[in-house]
Amino acid sequence: MVPVSSSPVAAPTGRKRPLEPGPDPPEHVDKHPRTEIFTPSDGASRKHNPDPRDGDCLRRLHAVNRSVMCMLEGALNRDPNTDLTTLLKTHAQVYPSRRKRAEERALKALTTPLLRRKSTSQPETASASASCTSRDPSNPRLSREAKRALQAPSGTLKIVKSLAPSVLALLVSTNLADATTESPKFPSTESLCIESIESELPRLMGRLIAEGEVLRHISGKVVVRVSDSMVVKLGTDMDFDQMEILSYVLQHTKKVPVPEPLGAFKIEDVSYVFMPRIEGTTLEMRWPTMTKEEKCTLRDSLEVILKELRQIPLPNCNLGWNDRCKDSRWYTRQSGPIVSEKEFNDFLLSSPLPRTTKSYLEMMRSRLRDDHQIVLTHGNLNPRNIMVREDLTIAGLIGWEMGGLYPEYWEGIKALNTFSATDPGDDWWEYIPQSIGLYHTEWAIDRQLETIVRC
């Protein structure tokens, strides 16, 4: 951004005025001066004049360190011989991200007012649009449901799954790092429980979301990075079955890369689900630039993972999960309990369009087999839900909301949910793993079924 000069400027005439050479600067003067920006980590080496705002910036950094000291002092005061291993491990996870965010906020507090002074004579439109971040509830790119979920929470709290110690520590460090308010005193991490911060949880969650970064948003659900190692998925009408499915998978194998659920709660009708952050990006983002050989390699890796998933013993329950079967197309239909594939097929045809004749429904029903093997299924295994690292190895499978026990062909047809009939570059179907991609007849019948039911 070009600084605005305080001296009078002639009105533009449409022609460029030739530059007049001025005197050469003295040798000791830098001909190309650089703007020096203070970074909070080099306070001793900063060269610009003291600024009264620095006190607030440094207090933020001090508060992050103070939060760690408060936890350690509390534990040692109760028992000078206590084992600090668990406490130190917890803070080792949350401290780097808290320190980094405090430094970023300190730098922003120092530089933003300066930039505004330089641009006082320029239109506000460009800067306003540039500063509109993806976590801003006013961002037009977010759906109405996503905007509502990102607002500061308030209302009745309901714990759905106990919060992991790392989540509690992150929430408390968010509170202690606030140097602008008088923070309530919470117990140390060792004795932290949800009851000890329950009354402050909406406020703490609001601060955590406000400081976070939106990684993705789809269908009214938002995934926000709240630390370097943790994300929270939030939205209305959230399904918590995925947390049980993930725990069940992790209980039986470590060869299927899935995130470990870290806890969940609801505030009114907005749900918050905490998960570890999986490094990398979605396969959907990388797919257009991948070579044929890279796609084949990834397909083979996915084949190994899916075979391992299907080796997991099935729980003694009905189809779907928690006595609910789901079929997600334009919207999600649910029904249950369903105890057999025969009943599952009846469910698929249970909401026909008004003009569909009984004879046509009977014909469609006769095409649906009732003898497939029932297997543990992801239910939405498309490139949006496959995370890959920089070297294109699979980092994790996410988006298990549609998972559960389903007929063996279900994984393959749902993996093509995002396949485009009009995109000439979409060749995902060619690289579907063989274990789930051999059900061509079932896929064709399902496409026809979709034309006669409300979905």
Side-chain angles (χ1 to χ4, degrees):
M1 185 175 296
V2 180
V4 178
S5 173
S6 59
S7 52
V9 180
T13 62
R15 299 176 59 188
K16 294 184 177 180
R17 182 179 179 180
L19 297 176
E20 298 181 2
D24 293 334
E27 293 184 359
H28 66 277
V29 177
D30 188 353
K31 297 181 181 181
H32 305 284
R34 296 177 298 275
T35 302
E36 295 199 19
I37 299 178
F38 166 61
T39 55
S41 58
D42 66 349
S45 62
R46 52 176 301 219
K47 299 179 181 179
H48 63 68
N49 295 330
D51 192 311
R53 292 168 296 169
D54 294 356
D56 177 64
C57 296
L58 294 178
R59 279 196 299 273
R60 293 183 184 276
L61 300 177
H62 171 69
V64 175
N65 292 337
R66 180 167 56 87
S67 67
V68 179
M69 292 302 301
C70 287
M71 295 293 185
L72 293 174
E73 289 176 356
L76 293 174
N77 287 337
R78 286 188 301 275
D79 182 4
N81 300 317
T82 186
D83 185 357
L84 297 175
T85 302
T86 302
L87 187 60
L88 294 174
K89 284 182 178 180
T90 300
H91 277 289
Q93 294 177 354
V94 302
Y95 178 81
S97 60
R98 297 301 307 166
R99 173 78 187 187
K100 180 180 178 181
R101 273 207 296 275
E103 290 183 344
E104 290 173 350
R105 291 172 63 191
L107 181 59
K108 182 178 180 181
L110 281 173
T111 59
T112 300
L114 177 61
L115 294 176
R116 286 177 179 171
R117 287 200 303 271
K118 289 183 177 182
S119 59
T120 51
S121 64
Q122 297 181 4
E124 295 289 338
T125 306
S127 61
S129 60
S131 64
C132 183
T133 62
S134 56
R135 69 172 177 266
D136 186 353
S138 64
N139 192 328
R141 292 181 298 172
L142 296 174
S143 67
R144 182 174 60 183
E145 293 81 5
K147 292 177 182 178
R148 183 171 178 275
L150 287 172
Q151 293 175 351
S154 62
T156 305
L157 171 69
K158 177 184 178 182
I159 304 299
V160 178
K161 181 178 175 58
S162 299
L163 301 183
S166 57
V167 177
L168 294 172
L170 179 62
L171 289 166
V172 171
S173 64
T174 300
N175 176 76
L176 291 174
D178 185 2
T180 62
T181 61
E182 184 65 28
S183 303
K185 302 300 182 183
F186 294 133
S188 71
T189 306
E190 289 184 332
S191 58
L192 265 180
C193 60
I194 190 62
E195 290 78 11
S196 62
I197 64 171
E198 184 171 349
S199 61
E200 292 291 325
L201 191 54
R203 182 182 65 83
L204 298 177
M205 199 65 219
R207 284 187 54 80
L208 201 61
I209 296 299
E211 296 177 6
E213 173 192 0
V214 172
L215 301 180
R216 60 186 294 190
H217 54 90
I218 184 171
S219 301
K221 310 299 187 295
V222 186
V223 178
V224 179
R225 178 178 70 91
V226 292
S227 76
D228 289 342
S229 59
M230 193 183 303
V231 299
V232 59
K233 185 173 184 179
L234 59 151
T236 57
D237 300 322
M238 290 274 283
D239 193 324
F240 297 104
D241 288 351
Q242 62 170 324
M243 304 190 71
E244 295 184 16
I245 298 173
L246 292 173
S247 297
Y248 188 82
V249 171
L250 291 170
Q251 178 184 347
H252 289 86
T253 181
K254 302 300 181 185
K255 296 181 181 179
V256 178
V258 298
E260 177 186 5
L262 300 176
F265 57 83
K266 294 181 67 175
I267 300 178
E268 292 298 328
D269 62 341
V270 179
S271 303
Y272 303 84
V273 178
F274 290 87
M275 299 277 187
R277 183 190 176 196
I278 298 178
E279 293 293 338
T281 186
T282 62
L283 181 59
E284 180 183 40
M285 299 295 293
R286 300 293 301 275
W287 192 261
T289 60
M290 290 172 60
T291 65
K292 182 177 180 180
E293 291 73 18
E294 289 172 336
K295 292 177 180 179
C296 289
T297 300
L298 187 135
R299 176 199 61 198
D300 295 341
S301 299
L302 194 57
E303 180 76 76
V304 173
I305 292 174
L306 290 173
K307 286 184 178 179
E308 180 67 23
L309 179 65
R310 295 191 170 195
Q311 293 298 316
I312 295 177
L314 302 184
N316 185 20
C317 63
N318 299 320
L319 269 66
W321 201 267
N322 282 336
D323 286 339
R324 289 188 303 165
C325 282
K326 305 167 191 172
D327 179 23
S328 182
R329 299 173 192 267
W330 293 106
Y331 65 91
T332 300
R333 300 186 295 166
Q334 300 185 25
S335 183
I338 292 176
V339 300
S340 66
E341 186 177 6
K342 179 180 182 300
E343 293 183 4
F344 180 71
N345 290 334
D346 293 339
F347 156 61
L348 294 180
L349 290 167
S350 62
S351 54
L353 295 174
R355 294 187 179 183
T356 307
T357 66
K358 179 180 179 182
S359 177
Y360 196 89
L361 286 173
E362 290 175 348
M363 184 272 291
M364 287 298 300
R365 181 63 184 85
S366 68
R367 301 292 192 268
L368 296 171
R369 287 172 46 189
D370 298 336
D371 59 349
H372 289 100
Q373 181 184 0
I374 304 301
V375 297
L376 187 58
T377 304
H378 179 283
N380 197 15
L381 193 64
N382 59 69
R384 293 177 181 174
N385 289 326
I386 302 173
M387 299 293 294
V388 294
R389 303 181 182 90
E390 186 66 28
D391 60 359
L392 295 177
T393 56
I394 297 176
L397 306 182
I398 60 177
W400 287 78
E401 291 90 341
M402 298 296 121
L405 309 185
Y406 291 95
E408 58 189 297
Y409 74 88
W410 197 246
E411 192 81 273
I413 67 172
K414 290 303 180 181
L416 293 171
N417 268 350
T418 59
F419 177 61
S420 172
T422 58
D423 183 359
D426 191 350
D427 58 351
W428 165 243
W429 69 272
E430 295 186 54
Y431 300 93
I432 296 291
Q434 186 176 14
S435 62
I436 66 171
L438 297 179
Y439 301 97
H440 309 302
T441 301
E442 287 85 346
W443 179 83
I445 294 173
D446 188 77
R447 296 303 92 187
Q448 183 63 26
L449 181 149
E450 194 166 284
T451 65
I452 64 170
V453 298
R454 295 188 183 95
C455 60

